[in-house]
Amino acid sequence: GAGVSQTPSNKVTEKGKYVELRCDPISGHTALYWYRQSLGQGPEFLIYFQGTGAADDSGLPNDRFFAVRPEGSVSTLKIQRTERGDSAVYLCASSEGTSGSPPVYTQYFGPGTRLTVL
Amino acid sequence: AQSVTQLGSHVSVSEGALVLLRCNYSSSVPPYLFWYVQYPNQGLQLLLKYTSAATLVKGINGFEAEFKKSETSFHLTKPSAHMSDAAEYFCAYSSASKIIFGSGTRLSIRP
């Protein structure tokens, strides 16, 4: 079946502009996660949704970052007033449920959106 | 602070040689550890995970890892490297539904 898809694959924008990054999770997956991967680093958690609600947004770096998942499927990560430091690959993942202890559900990752802020 | 530390940002081995990628975790990390692989221009893929069952975990593509509490280690190994194993490998742990990743080790395979 289809995996997690992300659009666009690449986005180049200018400092100060607004961008939206889209994630289509695997059909039926109730949990959706956003991570950010800077060059030479491992991915860093941003936010995750269980259904339509943000269950944990502790990784969002500041209030310029916002994410929604209005119908419990597709999610959009929104970045206002972009800065050069926002340049990174933004990864989305989905899972059948939220992982407890032990983590039962595997997170499946999309290919990412490479954001470049000039 | 909770963390995983990957020793060596770049490892190079010859084709057919043993692959050993090192990961140490801090003692406060929940005992749910993972290895992920990231091929160029592709998404992260789960290689294997440890969830407090057998300490030797077998994953895909011939990889395995051993959880050693006494050494706080979770090293990834493969007996014989293939050219197709060239990728970035991340050690990680699970904390309250999110995954916390190490900084990664790039594996290169020499012909």
Side-chain angles (χ1 to χ4, degrees):
Chain A
V4 178
S5 62
Q6 294 185 244
T7 53
S9 56
N10 280 284
K11 176 70 177 179
V12 180
T13 191
E14 294 179 345
K15 180 176 178 295
K17 299 290 188 181
Y18 168 83
V19 296
E20 289 189 352
L21 311 179
R22 177 187 168 106
C23 172
D24 282 83
I26 294 172
S27 178
H29 280 194
T30 60
L32 185 147
Y33 309 78
W34 284 99
Y35 294 84
R36 178 170 70 173
Q37 186 174 18
S38 300
L39 192 63
Q41 304 289 325
E44 294 177 305
F45 170 80
L46 295 176
I47 184 172
Y48 95 87
F49 293 85
Q50 178 56 42
T52 60
D56 183 349
D57 64 357
S58 61
L60 294 178
N62 51 60
D63 61 5
R64 295 187 297 105
F65 289 75
F66 190 71
V68 296
R69 195 186 186 201
E71 298 178 357
S73 178
V74 170
S75 176
T76 304
L77 179 65
K78 308 180 181 193
I79 311 175
Q80 298 178 320
R81 305 183 303 280
T82 52
E83 299 177 356
R84 292 192 179 90
D86 299 335
S87 296
V89 176
Y90 289 82
L91 299 169
C92 177
S94 71
S95 64
E96 290 180 67
T98 50
S99 299
S101 297
V104 173
Y105 301 107
T106 297
Q107 293 187 23
Y108 296 89
F109 283 79
T113 293
R114 182 175 299 277
L115 175 66
T116 303
V117 182
L118 301 177
Chain B
Q2 297 182 341
S3 72
V4 290
T5 302
Q6 293 186 242
L7 304 175
S9 59
H10 185 207
V11 170
S12 179
V13 303
S14 298
E15 190 174 18
L18 171 72
V19 175
L20 171 60
L21 303 183
R22 299 177 188 272
C23 174
N24 286 89
Y25 61 91
S26 63
S27 57
S28 57
V29 163
Y32 310 126
L33 296 164
F34 307 83
W35 276 99
Y36 276 84
V37 61
Q38 188 173 37
Y39 298 103
N41 300 316
Q42 294 188 29
L44 286 157
Q45 181 179 7
L46 181 66
L47 272 179
L48 49 83
K49 66 179 179 182
Y50 170 74
T51 57
S52 302
T55 56
L56 182 62
V57 183
K58 295 188 182 298
I60 62 172
N61 301 338
F63 284 93
E64 63 182 35
E66 186 171 7
F67 178 80
K68 291 187 175 181
K69 188 174 181 179
S70 61
E71 299 177 7
T72 60
S73 68
F74 190 57
H75 301 331
L76 181 71
T77 60
K78 181 174 180 177
S80 177
H82 295 163
M83 296 300 292
S84 60
D85 294 327
E88 187 91 18
Y89 291 80
F90 294 95
C91 181
Y93 69 93
S94 175
S95 175
S97 298
K98 58 196 176 193
I99 297 176
I100 311 299
F101 291 87
S103 57
T105 297
R106 179 167 299 279
L107 177 63
S108 300
I109 312 297
R110 301 188 300 270

